[in-house]
């Protein structure tokens, strides 16, 4: 283990504790009791990391929302590298791209733009271990309804991990849809790449490449 690794872990832990103390807030349970997707105007999904697998699973939720709530605005805070996938595969165009490790100043400017385009009626965050940037996002948007996975955050008033502990992420999204009055059976995966693109990837990376 390198020296940089030894000091980075406690420093990251300290930063997270500071962020929780500064940005975490007590969410109101009443705002979830009256929760209905049909009454929402805008959902904001915070996915600033570059995890392609999470994006693939997210297609389950997006397909169900598109079929049952076609007028719902879906905004996504995402990494720049995934912008083409959100646009071309998920047909989402209210995107707020960020670099891989955004400086606080860059993140705040992005969130100012998000709020400038309208309020956040529901925030969805799929990190089970939040980072300081995630806390800054939730604090700045300060949504009346916050669905998330992190058991340590007080600002989440619909904790999908607590409600579905040990189950798959598909079950988490199914629960979220049901909680908002929608049919979870409408979920389905969308391929992120065409057959031609996958064929080209396999040729480039070898036959061991897994299709997405």
């Amino acid at each position: 283990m390198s020296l940089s690794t030894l000091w980075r872990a406690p420093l990251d832990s300290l930063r997270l504790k500071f962020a929780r103390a500064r940005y975490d807030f007590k969410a109101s349970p009443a705002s979830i009791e009256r929760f209905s997707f049909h009454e929402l105007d805008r959902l904001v999904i915070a996915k600033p990391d570059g995890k392609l697998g999470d994006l693939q699973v997210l297609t389950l939720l997006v397909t169900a929302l598109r079929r049952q709530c076609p007028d719902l605005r879906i905004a996504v805070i995402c990494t720049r590298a995934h912008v083409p996938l959100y646009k071309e595969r998920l047909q989402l165009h209210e995107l707020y791209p960020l670099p891989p490790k955004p400086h606080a100043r860059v993140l705040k400017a992005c969130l100012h733009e998000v709020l400038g385009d309208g309020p956040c009626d529901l925030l969805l965050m799929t990190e089970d271990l939040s980072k300081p940037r995630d806390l800054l996002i939730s604090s700045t948007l300060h949504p009346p309804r916050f669905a998330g996975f992190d058991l340590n955050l007080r600002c989440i008033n619909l904790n999908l991990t607590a409600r579905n502990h040990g189950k798959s992420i598909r079950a988490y999204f199914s629960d979220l849809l049901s909680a908002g009055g929608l049919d979870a059976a409408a979920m389905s995966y969308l391929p992120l790449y065409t057959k031609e693109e996958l064929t080209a990837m396999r040729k480039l990376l070898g036959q061991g490449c897994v299709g997405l």
Side-chain angles (χ1 to χ4, degrees), residues 23 98 101-111 133 136:
Y23 296 119
L98 288 168
K101 294 182 179 180
H103 187 277
R105 181 180 64 254
V106 175
L107 180 55
K108 287 179 181 179
C110 173
L111 296 174
R133 69 183 181 195
L136 178 57

Side-chain angles (χ1 to χ4, degrees), residues 37-38 60-61 63-65 67-69 173-188:
F37 272 108
H38 291 293
L60 286 168
L61 180 66
T63 53
L65 291 174
R67 289 168 181 166
Q68 300 177 77
C69 297
F173 288 155
S174 176
D175 182 34
L176 175 60
L177 290 166
S178 298
L182 299 184
D183 183 6
M187 291 192 301
S188 62

Side-chain angles (χ1 to χ4, degrees), residues 72-153:
L72 176 67
R73 294 171 58 193
I74 304 177
V76 184
I77 301 170
C78 62
T79 180
R80 289 172 181 167
H82 288 170
V83 167
L85 293 175
Y86 281 108
K87 284 186 176 180
E88 297 168 14
R89 299 296 183 258
L90 277 73
Q91 297 298 305
L92 298 178
H93 302 284
E94 197 172 335
L95 305 175
Y96 302 89
L98 288 168
K101 294 182 179 180
H103 187 277
R105 181 180 64 254
V106 175
L107 180 55
K108 287 179 181 179
C110 173
L111 296 174
H112 179 75
E113 185 179 355
V114 173
L115 288 174
D117 291 336
C120 172
D121 298 317
L122 170 64
L123 174 64
L124 171 64
M125 196 173 289
T126 61
E127 296 296 327
D128 55 355
L129 294 173
S130 299
K131 298 178 180 178
R133 69 183 181 195
D134 302 317
L135 285 152
L136 178 57
I137 291 172
S138 60
S139 175
T140 302
L141 299 183
H142 209 90
R145 306 165 192 85
F146 184 1
F149 293 8
D150 193 334
L151 290 170
N152 298 308
L153 296 188

